[in-house]
Amino acid sequence: LAKTTQPISMDSYEGQEVNITCSHNNIATNDYITWYQQFPSQGPRFIIQGYKTKVTNEVASLFIPADRKSSTLSLPRVSLSDTAVYYCLVGPGYSSASKIIFGSGTRLSIRP
Amino acid sequence: EPEVTQTPSHQVTQMGQEVILRCVPISNHLYFYWYRQILGQKVEFLVSFYNNEISEKSEIFDDQFSVERPDGSNFTLKIRSTKLEDSAMYFCASSEIGTRDQPQHFGDGTRLSIL
């Protein structure tokens, strides 16, 4: 599984756009990029997944450059409830009972 | 939106006792997983399960652990003789089969406290 590097923590304010970048220099051809969110005392929750270019859903956008060696999770107009740990995961499509290897994630703190 | 449900939300057990953690995966999912998270640490993979057998297990998943799908809806994790270091949040997850872009869906966990 490709190693990922993301900031340990980030701070922002309500109403701001937050961008969390993840580096994955050794990403393989068949790897997807997946982001999960975890609130305290809750299970990780899938946010978004992509392979290349841009993916957008009702929660976030994921930007992936052509070389796929990094990706950026973009959270538009964050609120206090977006305070959580965000995990960047890189691996093959999770279609065959593949385990998820979680890193330490990015602890995002949103202030009023 | 369908979700993975886990019971109980909190389990307190004496060291050496057996404990069973229960999970109801999303109904059309066929892959099941258990993870654990010790307080303040990373989420760690324990075991994956498909077609009534273990697909993969980690070093943590030793002989004290077992998993079972006793009926068409439940997926259980049993710890035979609990140790203090088994205290953690235990998360169950499930995923669909055959589509590479389907993520794992997690429950909100069981907090296991060993006294």
Side-chain angles (χ1 to χ4, degrees):
Chain A
L1 296 172
K3 179 177 166 56
T4 61
T5 303
Q6 54 183 123
I8 294 173
S9 64
M10 293 181 66
D11 296 323
S12 189
Y13 294 90
E14 281 191 296
Q16 299 294 306
E17 178 183 81
V18 170
N19 296 308
I20 306 175
T21 296
C22 178
S23 298
H24 28 80
N25 290 318
N26 296 322
I27 189 168
T29 303
N30 63 342
D31 283 344
Y32 279 67
I33 300 155
T34 309
W35 286 80
Y36 277 79
Q37 172 192 56
Q38 186 180 25
F39 299 114
S41 298
Q42 293 188 24
R45 185 172 73 100
F46 170 80
I47 302 176
I48 197 165
Q49 181 171 282
Y51 184 80
K52 61 180 179 180
T53 63
K54 177 184 174 182
V55 180
T56 298
N57 62 23
E58 65 276 8
V59 176
S61 295
L62 179 60
F63 298 93
I64 306 168
D67 66 4
R68 303 197 331 121
K69 293 183 183 301
S70 68
S71 58
T72 299
L73 175 72
S74 181
L75 304 173
R77 298 184 60 79
V78 293
S79 64
L80 295 176
S81 62
D82 292 314
T83 294
V85 178
Y86 292 82
Y87 300 99
C88 168
L89 309 167
V90 173
Y94 297 111
S95 65
S96 55
S98 302
K99 63 188 176 190
I100 295 178
I101 305 295
F102 285 90
S104 299
T106 296
R107 188 171 298 276
L108 176 64
S109 299
I110 306 300
R111 300 188 175 135
Chain B
E1 183 179 321
E3 57 182 30
V4 175
T5 57
Q6 293 186 241
T7 55
S9 57
H10 192 188
Q11 174 80 44
V12 181
T13 302
Q14 292 287 333
M15 185 173 60
Q17 295 298 304
E18 175 184 284
V19 66
I20 297 176
L21 309 182
R22 291 182 166 81
C23 169
V24 178
I26 295 174
S27 61
N28 65 331
H29 286 187
L30 295 177
Y31 291 109
F32 314 114
Y33 315 80
W34 283 100
Y35 294 80
R36 81 172 185 190
Q37 187 174 30
I38 296 171
L39 185 64
Q41 298 187 22
K42 299 177 185 178
V43 178
E44 302 173 288
F45 169 78
L46 293 179
V47 65
S48 59
F49 190 86
Y50 170 68
N51 200 26
N52 283 319
E53 61 182 26
I54 291 173
S55 302
E56 186 176 3
K57 58 183 180 180
S58 70
E59 293 177 352
I60 303 168
F61 195 89
D62 61 21
D63 292 344
Q64 293 300 311
F65 291 87
S66 63
V67 289
E68 189 179 29
R69 187 151 164 83
D71 53 43
S73 60
N74 291 285
F75 180 51
T76 62
L77 174 69
K78 181 193 290 186
I79 308 175
R80 289 188 182 80
S81 179
T82 50
K83 304 185 287 289
L84 293 176
E85 53 265 39
D86 293 327
S87 294
M89 284 288 288
Y90 287 81
F91 297 109
C92 173
S94 68
S95 63
E96 293 184 60
I97 182 174
T99 49
R100 59 184 299 157
D101 61 347
Q102 293 300 314
Q104 292 179 24
H105 296 258
F106 286 74
D108 278 339
T110 293
R111 181 176 299 282
L112 179 61
S113 300
I114 307 300
L115 305 179

